[in-house]
Amino acid sequence: MSRERKCLDRLLAAVAGKGRVLILLHNDPDPDAIAAGLALRQLLSEAAGVPSEMVYKGMIGRAENKALVEYLGRPLRVLRDEDWLDSPAIALMDTQPGAGNNAMPAGTHVALVIDHHPRLAERFDADFVDIRPWVGALSTMLTQYLQAAKIEFSQQLATALFYGIKTDTAGLSRGTSPEDRSAYLFLQPHTDTRALGQIERAEVSAGYFRQLTAALANARIYDGVVISYIGEMDWPDMAAEMADLLMRLEGARWVICMGVYDKEMVLSARTYERDGAGDLVQAMVKDAGMAGGHGALAGGHVPLDDRAPQRVFQMLTQRALVALNVPPEAEGRKLI
């Protein structure tokens, strides 16, 4: 029996007899989490006969992510307080208990934990745990589960999973495993290429260009390290979006973007190194907030606590420079 089949059998046993499963994604979910959650919903329905709902906390702000959700027919909703009482089982997707980027109350028992980020604890209060930090995208893992269950992929689902892998691995160019490549190539012929193009070229608001202007104007370069402050952001994943853009700068080895959302400093780090992004954001945040990630991308957030945003930005910048062996007194040169 294959590893995937054994994992599938244990997953199905963990939800057997459950009246309903609440699929909880990480806060402000990205395409990989959304696609994987959608795949799990189909897997639970067809392989276990268990109904489920996909929920999240925060917002979906990035234009491409909004377009994906619209294309999929809005398969998820915002978490409600009463969901904790109404759901006999919880599936935690693309995150883990104690990660700080999900809405699950501390000490809550969960049925499933499925993730591809580094494991945070040796043991979890969970019936089933599948964590594979060597895999680049959670969508890869769910593709394998559906294949093991011999479930047919709709074009919508194949498109979502393909896009989830593409975004989390930058088109198989970062943090990629043989499993990701296999899933990517399997899904590609089944995707809706027209819809995918529309998602990737989704319209953006005027606010996007204002924040883009701020990110470029405030970017400084420290010998291959690019650090930028966006200021107030309309949505929390704008920091990640700007970091992705600035990684295209010639000579950039590391990019860190920060901005303010909901009285917190949100930070996002990118690198062309194979790993280290998670360690970097941990070194920046320390015990002042929450941080996580792996491989070439990571993020975190630090409450402002009535401090001036510029003060928190400067503190995090100095910590980043020290962690990256850049003299902390270096001023850097402006990008533009």
Side-chain angles (χ1 to χ4, degrees):
M1 184 181 295
S2 68
R3 182 188 67 180
E4 288 77 16
R5 184 67 221 188
K6 289 179 181 178
C7 284
L8 174 63
D9 289 344
R10 291 193 297 110
L11 185 157
L12 297 178
V15 298
K18 304 295 185 184
R20 175 173 172 266
V21 173
L22 190 71
I23 301 174
L24 179 62
L25 311 181
H26 61 68
N27 299 342
D28 314 314
D30 59 6
D32 185 38
I34 295 168
L38 186 67
L40 179 64
R41 193 179 72 175
Q42 182 168 342
L43 179 67
L44 295 178
S45 175
E46 296 193 22
V50 175
S52 61
E53 277 194 281
M54 183 164 43
V55 298
Y56 68 97
K57 183 180 178 182
M59 68 180 296
I60 298 173
R62 192 164 180 164
E64 297 91 330
N65 299 358
K66 287 181 178 179
L68 174 66
V69 170
E70 289 294 331
Y71 168 70
L72 296 174
R74 297 178 174 269
L76 69 170
R77 62 170 174 82
V78 176
L79 177 74
R80 299 189 294 253
D81 290 340
E82 57 266 29
D83 286 325
W84 301 118
L85 302 175
D86 296 340
S87 299
I90 298 169
L92 205 54
M93 298 288 288
D94 210 20
T95 182
Q96 301 171 36
N101 67 341
N102 63 69
M104 193 182 74
T108 302
H109 176 79
V110 295
L112 312 175
V113 177
I114 308 177
D115 193 18
H116 70 116
H117 296 93
R119 194 180 184 107
L120 297 177
E122 288 188 13
R123 300 187 65 182
F124 293 115
D125 185 14
D127 298 320
F128 172 83
V129 178
D130 186 4
I131 297 175
R132 308 182 202 172
W134 64 90
V135 175
L138 192 64
S139 293
T140 294
M141 296 170 60
L142 268 296
T143 297
Q144 293 176 328
Y145 275 119
L146 293 178
Q147 289 174 318
K150 295 180 169 37
I151 291 176
E152 185 175 345
F153 290 73
S154 68
Q155 189 177 48
Q156 273 191 329
L157 180 57
T159 301
L161 290 167
F162 178 82
Y163 188 54
I165 298 171
K166 185 177 182 181
T167 54
D168 253 34
T169 67
L172 299 182
S173 68
R174 70 184 179 202
T176 305
S177 70
E179 294 165 80
D180 297 300
R181 290 190 287 272
S182 177
Y184 189 91
L185 293 174
F186 167 79
L187 293 166
Q188 191 171 32
H190 306 290
T191 60
D192 184 340
T193 54
R194 181 179 179 182
L196 191 61
Q198 293 173 337
I199 291 167
E200 292 180 320
R201 296 189 301 272
E203 293 182 348
V204 296
S205 67
Y208 170 89
F209 291 100
R210 289 194 296 269
Q211 291 159 74
L212 169 62
T213 300
L216 297 177
N218 295 327
R220 286 187 173 272
I221 305 170
Y222 305 81
D223 189 25
V225 177
V226 183
I227 301 179
S228 180
Y229 177 59
I230 301 168
E232 291 285 344
M233 301 187 298
D234 292 341
W235 55 88
D237 48 359
M238 188 65 179
E241 191 162 359
M242 292 297 100
D244 288 336
L245 176 64
L246 286 170
M247 273 307 296
R248 298 182 62 184
L249 177 64
E250 183 179 8
R253 296 178 294 105
W254 287 89
V255 170
I256 303 163
C257 285
M258 293 179 253
V260 176
Y261 180 81
D262 195 22
K263 299 180 181 180
E264 290 189 324
M265 184 67 70
V266 179
L267 59 143
S268 185
R270 299 288 187 268
T271 181
Y272 282 125
E273 306 290 338
R274 288 189 59 85
D275 52 39
D279 292 337
L280 173 63
V281 295
Q282 292 283 357
M284 292 172 63
V285 171
K286 296 183 179 178
D287 58 356
M290 299 298 298
H294 69 139
L297 63 164
H301 53 91
V302 175
L304 294 178
D305 295 331
D306 296 322
R307 293 174 293 181
Q310 281 288 352
R311 179 183 173 191
V312 177
F313 170 71
Q314 290 299 334
M315 175 190 75
L316 296 173
T317 295
Q318 293 303 306
R319 290 178 179 177
L321 294 176
V322 169
L324 294 172
N325 297 315
V326 177
E329 67 276 6
E331 293 186 2
R333 61 181 177 85
K334 286 188 174 184
L335 172 62
I336 58 175

